[in-house]
Amino acid sequence: MVTYNKILRTIDEKGAAFFVLIDPDRLEEKEYLELAEYCQNDGADAVLVGSSILINNTFSKMIKDLKRVLEIPVIIFPGSPMQISPDADAVLFISLISGRNPNHLFGDHVIAAPVIKSAGIEPISTGYMLIESGHTSAVEFMSNTKPIPADKPEIAKAHALAAEYMGMKLIYLEAGSGAERAVPDIFISEIRKFVSLPIMVGGGIKNPETAKRKVDSGASIVVVGSLFEKLGGNNLIKEFSEAIHYK
Ligand code: 1GP
């Protein structure tokens, strides 16, 4: 629980945490090392690494490289049980609770659990919900599940409470990488009133103002990925950190 406790401490001390997602397929070594340097120096609290699908064989090398230059945790955000590396600090042990695909509820987990144990990395049980965001996301397509409709926060609330009762440690509200519309604020505020777990929000967050609105609505962790792939980390990481860390 070292990394999970570190996350809880960050949320406690800074109000909310800021995670940067790096997709192994989308950045060259020079680019991800440069982005990592901004993450380390400009206030990101952790780096997530993962993708719905891997085209190139760069995952393990990227984790190793990132661990070499980062003091903040490197956490795997796996798109499949193949995305495990002993060099990471932790892995989000994800159940895709908004869907009814048994493999993503309790199937891939059985395959991944022994691999995670022998890799010696920390699993963080995460209730992951896909929220409808304007177009078919890679997660929706790859997982063969339907997202929760964007006008039905009460459905998400019930899912979040069930995840808490099942002993999960985090709720992740996902609009999908590069989403047209981020997760609506009402989803976050309604779930915040209903469960005590940290709420992580990502997908389609394209500016610090939006990130701040998610935090004001009750998000404990904000995840941003594709924006930095396009624009780099220069200035932007700092602006997001300042918007998200309100304490
Ligand atoms: C995707 O929530 C993450 O899984 C981040 O999304 O790439 O749109 O920032 P973006």
Side-chain angles (χ1 to χ4, degrees):
M1 302 265 281
V2 176
T3 303
Y4 182 66
N5 286 337
K6 201 178 269 186
I7 295 170
L8 294 185
R9 245 187 347 265
T10 302
I11 295 166
D12 193 42
E13 285 167 13
K14 300 183 179 176
F18 171 35
F19 289 6
V20 173
L21 171 66
I22 306 185
D23 182 323
D25 273 339
R26 297 207 191 137
L27 295 181
E28 299 294 330
E29 183 176 335
K30 187 173 166 292
E31 295 168 318
Y32 67 69
L33 287 176
E34 188 178 293
L35 181 56
E37 202 175 315
Y38 285 117
C39 290
Q40 183 63 50
N41 297 330
D42 289 352
D45 300 299
V47 166
L48 298 180
V49 180
S51 182
S52 305
I53 187 163
L54 289 180
I55 307 292
N56 302 316
N57 192 18
T58 50
F59 177 79
S60 300
K61 177 171 168 18
M62 180 188 264
I63 303 252
K64 216 184 257 283
D65 289 347
L66 290 174
K67 269 308 289 176
R68 219 181 37 243
V69 298
L70 288 171
E71 282 163 35
I72 56 174
V74 174
I75 303 172
I76 299 172
F77 173 35
S80 83
M82 286 167 62
Q83 295 176 28
I84 304 293
S85 157
D87 296 307
D89 293 289
V91 54
L92 298 183
F93 200 63
I94 288 173
S95 295
L96 178 45
I97 57 173
S98 55
R100 297 297 177 268
N101 180 333
N103 277 335
H104 299 307
L105 289 166
F106 200 87
D108 285 348
H109 314 68
V110 178
I111 296 166
V115 184
I116 292 170
K117 190 172 174 65
S118 74
I121 56 176
E122 175 184 337
I124 301 174
S125 177
T126 303
Y128 184 75
M129 271 185 249
L130 195 53
I131 315 297
E132 194 273 319
S133 65
H135 72 282
T136 305
S137 65
V139 181
E140 176 181 352
F141 183 81
M142 292 302 295
S143 66
N144 202 13
T145 66
K146 277 190 191 162
I148 294 177
D151 61 349
K152 300 275 186 290
E154 67 281 5
I155 295 182
K157 259 170 83 167
H159 280 71
L161 189 61
E164 181 162 79
Y165 286 173
M166 288 183 80
M168 293 178 186
K169 297 277 192 285
L170 278 180
I171 298 292
Y172 193 152
L173 299 178
E174 171 73 275
S177 189
E180 275 165 41
R181 296 192 301 264
V183 172
D185 298 345
I186 184 85
F187 274 63
I188 305 165
S189 55
E190 285 295 306
I191 292 173
R192 184 66 300 152
K193 285 186 249 164
F194 217 50
V195 304
S196 57
L197 292 177
I199 304 171
M200 196 158 159
V201 179
I205 296 175
K206 300 185 183 89
N207 51 58
E209 297 71 37
T210 307
K212 183 174 172 359
R213 266 210 327 278
K214 303 305 162 200
V215 172
D216 291 345
S217 305
S220 324
I221 304 168
V222 175
V223 182
V224 181
S226 39
L227 185 75
F228 304 129
E229 287 161 8
K230 285 190 212 116
L231 305 178
N234 192 13
N235 290 330
L236 260 185
I237 301 267
K238 192 174 242 149
E239 286 174 29
F240 271 91
S241 303
E242 284 167 3
I244 291 164
H245 299 143
Y246 64 86
K247 276 193 189 167

